[in-house]
Amino acid sequence: MKITIVGGMDFIGLVNAVGFAEKGHEVFALDSSDKKKIAALRKHELPRNEPKLEEILTRVEKNIRFTAETRDAIYGASVLMICEEPKAKDNGEIDTISFYQTLKEICKYIVNDVIVILRTTVPVGTNREVQTFMSQMIGRKYKIDVVSNPEFLSQGTAMKDMLNPTRIVVGVSTKEAQMTMKELYRGFEAPLLFVSPESAELIKYASNCYLAVKLSYINEISDLCDAVNADIQEVSFGIGLDPRIGNKYLSSGVGFGGPALPQDTRAMDLLATKNNVNLTILKAAMEVNNNRSTALIRKIKNVLGNIEGRRFAVLGLSYKGNTNDISRSPAFRVIEDLLKEGCKVLAYDSVSTTAFRKKMKSDQHLNYANTLEEALRTCDFAIFLNESEEFKKLTNEQIVEYMKRPIIFDGKAVLNPYQLPGVQYYAIGKKR
């Protein structure tokens, strides 16, 4: 099948282009906003760090054509996949201006009936709105059939999620669209769930919000563990053995960040408010997440007492290990809180320091290390904030060698304390 992917070649668009090419489809990948990025992609120079992405792109390059020319990509195409990623406004409302500008531009070059697949997370009701908008733009000359097909991609495992999904959710209104989607996903081994467009749109939001609730719940339990002298690692393991609960998203820490969960929880809450529904559990989860930095600082002060003037290495600036995405990273708030306490901070991340530095407000007490060893040798104490492979590989011997007083605060359960006999290890909810 021939597919034209529209809306940018950053994360969702690029992963889908490479993924569908891997499954044997012929992909036209359009990013009209950045000709330099298209030129780089043709050389297999990727805009982000994502495992397996470059390897698979190299293997399937014959099935992908990257272009910055909208007319070339749209003219004559019968299947358009929209991967434009709407952003949230400060009030939580999703800003769809750019999304509709993209649709308006591609409508200029539609010369036949088309299936339009909405692949990104969009507000509930967008499918019907897009159907009306595009039909009006082309004067109802051609048939527009809009499908909601939300992605469930996680940074760091995106290609695995793309090629081996746990489920494929498709919101359709016509039999023709259903048959096209069956053909598109013929090579995928996953449940193919056909629902209404509104249900498909809500499934994505509800899924992410449930994960947020689960994370906030286990984070509150970690606070209780500190109070009653229990161990959150043991408690989480015991909870996760129940098949009704499962062991995913039961790792406590400094809270969730990134481009998805914070944005989707706020958008879901706003949707509910507009429809006179009070999502009390979701509101509580959001509040818990907003206070995780405070819980970490409280833990540090309980151990060290007054921390004014102390030097902390903050390790892990992206919201998640092994990515360079700093979107709503907990590191921003943790560093801000440390600086308010009068601490000196040396920040380090192997892939996201440059991006973080541009966005983080400068401060005379905030500096950046070039290497992990430099950060550990220079600090009094270390704080881990994401599960980077570089951090996971640290040994007890290395930490003891690098640090004058090896005292660590683990905000994301990165290290195994039982393998660190020479280190004073602390984490929220852990005995040791």
Side-chain angles (χ1 to χ4, degrees), residues 118-130:
L118 305 183
R119 188 69 169 135
T120 46
T121 306
V122 292
V124 177
T126 299
N127 181 293
R128 308 288 183 187
E129 292 175 359
V130 169

Side-chain angles (χ1 to χ4, degrees), residues 34-50:
D34 196 336
K35 292 184 178 181
K36 289 183 178 180
K37 182 187 293 182
I38 292 298
L41 286 170
R42 288 170 178 168
K43 301 175 188 177
H44 302 170
E45 297 172 1
L46 304 183
R48 63 172 56 242
N49 179 39
E50 185 62 46

Side-chain angles (χ1 to χ4, degrees), residues 215 218-219 222-223 226 232 250-257 289 292-297 299-300 312-316 318-321 329-331 334 338 381-388 391 407-417 420 424-430 432:
L215 284 168
I218 203 65
N219 281 333
S222 71
D223 292 339
D226 267 345
I232 189 59
L250 284 179
S251 180
S252 65
V254 289
F256 55 80
N289 194 64
R292 292 319 295 165
S293 173
T294 302
L296 177 63
I297 300 300
K299 178 78 174 186
I300 293 172
F312 288 88
V314 175
L315 310 174
S318 55
Y319 87 96
K320 184 178 183 181
S329 170
V334 170
L338 287 171
F381 316 103
I383 303 173
F384 289 87
L385 293 183
N386 73 28
E387 60 277 51
S388 166
F391 303 154
I407 300 177
I408 283 175
F409 296 91
D410 195 342
K412 270 292 182 75
V414 181
L415 304 175
N416 184 346
L420 303 173
Q424 292 185 48
Y425 176 95
Y426 301 95
I428 302 173
K430 292 192 69 64
R432 182 181 182 278

Side-chain angles (χ1 to χ4, degrees), residues 44-58:
H44 302 170
E45 297 172 1
L46 304 183
R48 63 172 56 242
N49 179 39
E50 185 62 46
K52 298 291 184 180
L53 184 57
E54 183 177 3
E55 174 189 331
I56 299 175
L57 172 58
T58 302

Side-chain angles (χ1 to χ4, degrees), residues 56-122:
I56 299 175
L57 172 58
T58 302
R59 184 166 66 238
V60 302
E61 62 178 341
K62 66 180 184 300
N63 289 346
I64 303 181
R65 180 181 171 187
F66 293 105
T67 183
E69 302 301 326
T70 304
R71 187 184 188 282
D72 290 349
I74 304 302
Y75 193 87
S78 59
V79 179
L80 305 178
M81 180 172 287
I82 312 301
C83 291
E84 181 82 24
E85 301 179 44
K87 304 300 181 184
K89 300 178 182 179
D90 291 340
N91 66 351
E93 184 179 350
I94 301 301
D95 187 350
T96 57
I97 293 177
S98 176
F99 176 80
Y100 278 101
Q101 285 177 339
T102 297
L103 295 179
K104 184 177 181 180
E105 183 65 20
I106 66 178
C107 281
K108 297 177 183 178
Y109 305 104
I110 291 176
V111 295
N112 47 261
D113 296 346
V114 294
I115 302 288
V116 178
I117 303 169
L118 305 183
R119 188 69 169 135
T120 46
T121 306
V122 292

Side-chain angles (χ1 to χ4, degrees), residues 373-399:
E373 180 178 345
E374 177 192 349
L376 291 175
R377 286 190 183 279
T378 309
C379 71
D380 296 323
F381 316 103
I383 303 173
F384 289 87
L385 293 183
N386 73 28
E387 60 277 51
S388 166
E389 288 298 322
E390 182 182 19
F391 303 154
K392 289 181 178 180
K393 292 178 181 177
L394 271 174
T395 65
N396 180 76
E397 290 71 25
Q398 287 175 314
I399 296 173

